[in-house]
Amino acid sequence: MTSITTAEQAQQELLEEFELFDNWMDRYQYIIDMGKALPAFPDDWKLDELKIQGCQSNVWMRHERRGDALHFDAISDAAIVSGLIAVLMRIYNDRMPSDIVGTSPHFLKDLGLDKHLSPTRSNGLNSMLERIYQVAHQEAAA
């Protein structure tokens, strides 16, 4: 697999992968499978201050600076939401703050997630995206 250098390239690669699926049931299963592959998230990270507000299920997200890049860890107690986290991590994890801030999340519309997620899941996804962008803006300004 080639090294992905930007969030935009990661979005494009993800879109190409999803084109391989004929229907939304297969896409949902792929998203769930991606979530099952998330790195471990220790219980002692499941703190109130790391919890994402606006999600129907429980979602925790933490971040740290690693050199010039932002590293995120996140988990949910819901399978589909963990998959959505995996999609976000694929695009935004271990990127420079300026890359994150400068990359529009057009994958939502391009994949059809904006139409195929329930309103509560969509709100949760947007809350996770807001946290990622908020952290990136703060780190870019620092």
Side-chain angles (χ1 to χ4, degrees):
M1 185 181 205
T2 58
S3 173
I4 299 169
T5 56
T6 69
E8 184 58 44
Q9 288 170 322
Q11 281 192 91
Q12 292 305 322
E13 185 177 287
L14 193 71
L15 292 170
E16 289 169 15
E17 284 176 26
F18 272 80
E19 286 174 8
L20 300 173
F21 300 106
D22 295 331
N23 60 59
W24 265 95
M25 288 308 295
D26 291 342
R27 287 180 174 195
Y28 280 129
Q29 188 57 54
Y30 185 61
I31 290 171
I32 289 168
D33 290 344
M34 287 175 69
K36 290 177 183 174
L38 282 173
F41 194 92
D43 284 339
D44 59 344
W45 288 356
K46 293 179 179 176
L47 307 170
D48 284 343
E49 62 264 23
L50 298 179
K51 201 168 182 184
I52 303 282
Q53 301 305 316
C55 293
Q56 183 179 8
S57 52
N58 290 314
V59 175
W60 295 270
M61 184 183 292
R62 67 180 290 280
H63 70 278
E64 64 185 356
R65 192 81 184 232
R66 290 188 179 172
D68 290 337
L70 282 174
H71 177 79
F72 292 92
D73 290 290
I75 198 72
S76 173
D77 56 5
I80 190 74
V81 178
S82 285
L84 294 172
I85 290 168
V87 168
L88 294 176
M89 295 299 109
R90 178 99 172 262
I91 295 169
Y92 298 107
N93 200 24
D94 296 321
R95 310 267 182 237
M96 293 180 60
S98 58
D99 185 22
I100 295 170
V101 171
T103 303
S104 167
H106 61 80
F107 70 94
L108 296 171
K109 190 169 193 284
D110 295 349
L111 286 178
L113 286 173
D114 56 340
K115 292 186 178 75
H116 288 89
L117 290 178
S118 68
T120 54
R121 293 252 192 291
S122 193
N123 287 343
L125 180 59
N126 285 321
S127 295
M128 291 185 282
L129 261 172
E130 282 176 26
R131 171 77 60 90
I132 290 169
Y133 278 96
Q134 175 188 26
V135 167
H137 276 289
Q138 289 170 349
E139 291 291 327

